[in-house]
Amino acid sequence: METAEFLQALENEGRLLAAAAEKAGTDAKVPTCPEWQVRDLLRHTGAVHRWAAAYVAEGLTERRPLPEPAALDGAELVDWYRDSHRLLVGTLAGAAPDVACWTFLPAPSPLAFWARRQAHETAVHRVDAEAARGGAPTAVTPEFATDGIDELLLGFQARPKSRLHTPEPRVLRVRTDDTDAVWTVRLSPEPPVTTPGASGEADCELSGPAEQLYLALWNRASVPTVSGDQALATLWREASAV
């Protein structure tokens, strides 16, 4: 996907998140994040939007802590979230393609990184807001979902802080039914090593439509289909949070 597509997704997802949060109310529980209420979701996501926007707007080259969440609630908090989202979208849309700033996952450019990362950040938390509101979540395209799985496997879970470890080498396969995307995740006492494609035999395979698998791998839904060693599916559910 291109940066412009991620920016469009980010804009749409933020609008949907705000609308769902407004309808649910800030007191509502978030079933997909049981320790949160909607106010926690808005404060977190809005703070992340402002944090991300600052790197691009100010050309920051070192990691900064997240800003303190807004001490607001109710309608004022929803409005603050909308302002945070508009700030982020406007900053990314107006940035120079060669802007230089800090990032934390491999990407073609810092702008491409932040557009992609914030699109998926917002999409996942939009699902949280819609879970609090009730009713079916808004769909994402198979292409967007497949990209999100790719970012999770080749980006987040490749970092030294990943908790996906096994005492002995094991192989986990992840496969989408509708985009023909496949990843091979090699587990060991070290951080996972993921390669695109189906290489060698797998001890367990997680598969299903890209959108359902995307939500499942972000622990927002159940894995559609698990074949092979169920313990590796349990390991993902228990240890993959980022």
Side-chain angles (χ1 to χ4, degrees):
M1 292 178 62
E2 299 295 326
T3 297
E5 295 175 284
F6 287 121
L7 286 176
Q8 185 61 60
L10 170 59
E11 182 165 9
N12 293 341
E13 293 292 345
R15 291 177 185 275
L16 290 168
L17 191 161
E22 187 171 48
K23 185 168 184 179
T26 55
D27 286 337
K29 297 286 188 182
V30 181
T32 45
C33 297
E35 71 280 13
W36 275 2
Q37 291 173 287
V38 167
R39 64 174 56 88
D40 302 302
L41 174 65
L42 290 173
R43 289 169 180 168
H44 166 78
T45 313
V48 169
H49 286 346
R50 290 171 184 262
W51 177 75
Y55 285 109
V56 176
E58 301 174 36
L60 302 176
T61 56
E62 295 183 357
R63 191 187 188 283
R64 300 283 183 91
L66 276 173
E68 287 296 318
L72 300 170
D73 206 350
E76 289 183 326
L77 180 58
V78 177
D79 288 344
W80 175 84
Y81 171 75
R82 287 190 168 112
D83 287 342
S84 304
H85 175 247
R86 280 193 292 266
L87 172 67
L88 175 63
V89 172
T91 298
L92 295 179
D98 60 351
V99 63
C101 63
W102 179 81
T103 62
F104 60 90
L105 296 177
S109 70
L111 183 58
F113 165 79
W114 283 113
R116 181 195 203 195
R117 175 81 291 277
Q118 286 300 292
H120 289 299
E121 172 89 9
T122 310
V124 170
H125 287 316
R126 182 266 301 161
V127 170
D128 294 331
E130 291 181 338
R133 178 205 64 196
T138 304
V140 297
T141 67
E143 292 74 19
F144 181 81
T146 298
D147 181 85
I149 296 169
D150 194 75
E151 184 201 41
L152 181 58
L153 295 178
L154 275 76
F156 280 105
Q157 294 302 337
R159 298 188 298 173
K161 63 174 67 176
S162 173
R163 297 184 297 115
L164 279 175
H165 302 293
T166 53
E168 302 295 333
R170 308 297 302 280
V171 177
L172 177 67
R173 187 98 71 225
V174 178
R175 185 188 305 272
T176 66
D177 295 343
D178 48 353
T179 65
D180 297 323
V182 185
W183 300 263
T184 299
V185 185
R186 300 190 183 281
L187 303 171
S188 73
E190 302 300 319
V193 175
T194 299
T195 53
S199 175
E201 295 295 320
D203 298 294
C204 176
E205 180 168 300
L206 312 180
S207 62
E211 180 185 16
Q212 294 179 36
L213 199 54
Y214 173 58
L215 297 181
L217 293 176
W218 276 106
N219 293 312
R220 264 59 181 188
S222 299
V223 177
T225 304
V226 180
S227 57
D229 188 350
Q230 300 283 321
L232 292 184
T234 300
L235 174 68
W236 180 278
R237 186 173 62 252
E238 294 177 348
S240 67
V242 296

